Amino acid sequence: MIRKVALVIATVLSLRAATVTSFDPGWRFLKSDAPGAEAPDFADDAWRTVNVPHDWAIEGPFDQKNPAGGAGAFLPGGTGWYRRHFMLPDADANKRVFIDFDGVMANSDVWINGFHLGKRPYGYVSFRYELTGHLKFGPKAANVLAVRADNSARPASRWYPGAGIYRHVRLIVTDPVHFDHWATFVTTPKAAAGAATVRVESRIVNQSQMPRAVSLEVSLLAPDGRTVKTASTPSQTLPPGKTADVQLEFAVASPALWDLDHPNLYRAVAKVRAGPATLDEQSVPFGIRDAHFDAATGFWLNGKNFKIKGVCLHADAGGLGTAIPLRAWERRLEQLRLIGVNAIRTAHNPPAPEFLDLCDRMGFLVMDEMFDCWTVAKNPYDYHLYFRDWSQTDTRDTVMRDRNHPSIILYSAGNEIHDTPRADLAKQILKGLVDTFHEADPTRPVTQALFRPNVSHDYDDGLADMLDVIGQNYRESEILAAHAAKPTRKIIGTENQHGRDVWLALRDNPPYAGQFLWAGIDYLGESRAWPQIASAAGLLDHTGAIKPIGYERQSWWSDKPMVYITRRVAPTAPAAVDPGYEAQARRAVQTLYSDWTPANTAAHEETVEVYSNCEEVELLLNGKSLGVKPLAANAAARTWRVPYEPGALRAVARNKGATVASYELRTAGKPAKIILKADRTRIAPDFDDVSTITATVFDEHNVQVPGADPLLHFQITGPGTIAAVDSADNVSHESFQAPERRAFQGRCIAIVKATGIGRILFSVSAEGLGRGGLTVEAMR
């Protein structure tokens, strides 16, 4: 059973009594196998020096013969080694030392000074090893941490997974008496505007050789930093080698609740005390909120009932691969929020912990998903090979890591699981997973993205009803019928297409709590054939720009008045696709163009669609009205057949007779110049901060030229580097690391990182278009 708690917290950000050192910089890397490289004295002087997070596969090259195939974006796999040399002071000799990996793709083995610490097959989970007992101390004693990541067996994924130590790494040095890993759990058994109850529970470990008298002290800090309350447990004697579970509760008057518009975060500062001494300390941000699902009315947050308007996201960010600076994710989420998105499904695996921190701070809801398969394979070398041995451990670790995030409202046990036709097998597995979720976090419901449940009889054989909230991919009429057959079922769409009928199924049915669209952003992989290297199923392209279907979605999901114009053009050729993916492939064939520059300049008619959430829209061509059309009750786009003539096509949206939004397309002339625009002109010299610079080709009148595809050359001087270049072209095989990129439909991007403090000068040039430039300031 789920213990109804209205909680939660975010990831532990600091351990003040412990020493937490970033282990991101200074690794030596070899992109091949190296037998014996775990040995401390192995010769690695010739290896390449890299910082992590690092994704070696994104460096390419693209090759039709790469064994990952289209599923892996035709990018390479193989085996890679990382080695990090480090020293520890003598003062740490009597302490406990741990290494934390947020994620290594995949089949990782880790050694310290030649001692094998362990193996983790699943590349999406975080894990810790203890190094104590295998270390050397002192100014002349070198230690070597070695990591082998084996991605040689492909295909192992249905999308691009990256390769290597692609998330952060930390070294932790603690007192022998300390908090257990991921043990601190903050819940709010009561959460309301008038009052809340905050419960902080944890586990203290005594790894010393003697009994210790210890207590738990917790201070609650309000979002503005004020100390709300401080309390302590009575001191207790903890024998060597033993643990103690400890707990405190606080009454908080008039709390600042966490919600989508006001993602207020408190902080719990928890300390392990031994008399006046602090042995360990954790500072834990948390949010107070009440979230639950109702069978009749859907989703509720803090007493408010609204639809979950979600998207599914894979773990790559285009040219950055899977080693993604947090600012790149923030920019993408900002774009999705403009459309009206309020929720993210981490398809189909646990995300990086800092991504969840970001969702906490920005006010997004999250479905935290575990697996894309159980024991039945989708690829020859995917997780089915390890599921029986590792799924319980991976699930427990992930839930304990993630259970303190206020953004998370659902866990998912799997996506389109092919075990379900064998009901006895699937139900046994699902029970074990659901029990593990609930044991580690009794406060949140568990769902699963059911795959054609009427075919596998999930609604009839009892499997679906083992879930706290029933999730189904696509086939909206089926899940609505399942609810009608049993109205006590809580239901959600875990994966849905972009069509208007799909939206109406959600809008017009109160029990239907929400939907997660496939997909939020174009992503690398899941290509059906060369030369395509990415899926075009997103509301955003993989540079993060909103596509026309994104604006259509905005007209349905956003409350802010908006209007947008696009031309609908019949596809020039049908897509050749596998059965079952027809709808997705049709979306991959571009039919919507937001320009008034058709290739055909002779007399003809254009089909013009206008997306708006406003009461009426008037369309004008060169100042002449083409008519006014009202908002359709069925959410259909307003459509005109417009005789083409060059000039300006303008849409004016009105509410109650007042103009509230407008949008204009103008016919483009010949390419004349390149204009640069940075999403931010000040960045820090930190992995997680970047500036995304968009280079756009304009004509002499500052109209974007949609057909322009010149090769753009980038230059950078000062304390900065180009981390990646990219465009929205899903069939381009250009290197993401090159200092040049061909524009696609008049546009491409460069992502810039700071390497120090000072002024970064960035410029672009192309034959016949001159040079453009801008400045980015790098500062702390």
Side-chain angles (χ1 to χ4, degrees), residues 83-102:
R83 286 167 54 90
R84 196 182 192 282
H85 300 249
F86 65 101
M87 291 183 288
L88 293 171
D90 287 325
D92 289 345
N94 295 319
K95 296 185 178 181
R96 311 300 292 196
V97 184
F98 303 87
I99 191 76
D100 283 0
F101 291 91
D102 286 344

Side-chain angles (χ1 to χ4, degrees), residues 52-55 82 102-105 123-125 161-168 315 322-324 349-350 687:
V52 303
H54 173 244
D55 174 9
Y82 297 83
D102 286 344
V104 181
M105 187 62 67
Y124 295 106
V125 294
I165 306 176
Y166 72 109
R167 293 179 182 169
H168 294 291
T322 57
I324 305 171
N349 46 261
F687 172 84

Side-chain angles (χ1 to χ4, degrees), residues 253-332:
S254 302
L257 299 180
W258 185 94
D259 62 31
L260 304 190
D261 297 321
H262 307 93
N264 295 302
L265 291 173
Y266 285 75
R267 189 176 295 273
V269 179
K271 299 178 181 179
V272 177
R273 290 284 202 181
T278 298
L279 304 183
D280 199 359
E281 180 176 334
Q282 296 180 345
S283 182
V284 184
F286 71 96
I288 299 172
R289 52 80 165 151
D290 176 29
H292 68 274
F293 290 82
D294 181 83
T297 56
F299 179 72
W300 294 76
L301 180 65
N302 300 332
K304 296 180 181 178
N305 180 218
F306 58 86
K307 296 295 187 183
I308 294 172
K309 301 171 180 177
V311 295
C312 305
L313 294 182
H314 273 319
D316 76 273
L320 290 166
T322 57
I324 305 171
L326 197 58
R327 170 55 196 166
W329 274 127
E330 183 180 44
R331 174 176 172 267
R332 289 169 159 232

Side-chain angles (χ1 to χ4, degrees), residues 76-361:
T79 299
W81 279 85
Y82 297 83
R83 286 167 54 90
R84 196 182 192 282
H85 300 249
F86 65 101
M87 291 183 288
L88 293 171
D90 287 325
D92 289 345
N94 295 319
K95 296 185 178 181
R96 311 300 292 196
V97 184
F98 303 87
I99 191 76
D100 283 0
F101 291 91
D102 286 344
V104 181
M105 187 62 67
N107 299 301
S108 65
D109 286 276
V110 182
W111 294 264
I112 181 67
N113 294 330
F115 178 81
H116 187 240
L117 295 167
K119 182 181 184 71
R120 292 301 286 256
Y122 199 27
Y124 295 106
V125 294
S126 301
F127 53 92
R128 165 177 284 191
Y129 293 121
E130 182 164 7
L131 310 184
T132 312
H134 309 290
L135 294 167
K136 304 173 186 177
F137 299 90
K140 297 182 180 180
N143 298 280
V144 178
L145 185 68
V147 179
R148 180 179 186 266
D150 185 357
N151 295 274
S152 58
R154 296 287 181 98
S157 174
R158 296 188 302 114
W159 58 88
Y160 175 73
I165 306 176
Y166 72 109
R167 293 179 182 169
H168 294 291
V169 184
R170 293 169 301 281
L171 185 79
I172 297 95
V173 180
T174 75
D175 188 272
V177 179
H178 55 87
F179 288 112
D180 203 1
H181 191 37
W182 291 325
T184 303
F185 189 20
V186 180
T187 59
T188 53
K190 177 183 177 182
T197 301
V198 176
R199 178 181 297 151
V200 181
E201 55 189 87
S202 193
R203 176 171 295 160
I204 300 172
V205 180
N206 183 0
Q207 290 187 286
S208 74
Q209 300 300 312
M210 63 184 66
R212 301 292 294 272
V214 297
S215 63
L216 169 69
E217 179 186 290
V218 176
S219 296
L220 298 186
L221 277 60
D224 61 5
R226 292 179 299 107
T227 299
V228 177
K229 288 188 175 180
T230 299
S232 299
T233 63
S235 179
Q236 61 178 300
T237 299
L238 186 57
K242 300 297 183 180
T243 64
D245 292 332
V246 288
Q247 178 178 298
L248 286 168
E249 280 197 2
F250 300 84
V252 179
S254 302
L257 299 180
W258 185 94
D259 62 31
L260 304 190
D261 297 321
H262 307 93
N264 295 302
L265 291 173
Y266 285 75
R267 189 176 295 273
V269 179
K271 299 178 181 179
V272 177
R273 290 284 202 181
T278 298
L279 304 183
D280 199 359
E281 180 176 334
Q282 296 180 345
S283 182
V284 184
F286 71 96
I288 299 172
R289 52 80 165 151
D290 176 29
H292 68 274
F293 290 82
D294 181 83
T297 56
F299 179 72
W300 294 76
L301 180 65
N302 300 332
K304 296 180 181 178
N305 180 218
F306 58 86
K307 296 295 187 183
I308 294 172
K309 301 171 180 177
V311 295
C312 305
L313 294 182
H314 273 319
D316 76 273
L320 290 166
T322 57
I324 305 171
L326 197 58
R327 170 55 196 166
W329 274 127
E330 183 180 44
R331 174 176 172 267
R332 289 169 159 232
L333 293 184
E334 289 169 349
Q335 293 288 85
L336 290 170
R337 170 156 283 162
L338 287 176
I339 294 172
V341 172
N342 63 18
I344 305 298
R345 176 192 181 204
T346 65
H348 304 290
N349 46 261
E354 67 268 20
F355 178 83
L356 297 173
D357 292 336
L358 182 64
C359 290
D360 293 341
R361 294 195 298 270

Side-chain angles (χ1 to χ4, degrees), residues 7-8 16 152 154 188 190 222 225 259 272 329 340 377 418 439 509 560 705 730:
L7 121 301
V8 291
R16 295 186 182 175
S152 58
R154 296 287 181 98
T188 53
K190 177 183 177 182
D259 62 31
V272 177
W329 274 127
H418 291 184
E439 287 166 8
N509 289 279
K560 183 179 179 181
V705 184
N730 288 327

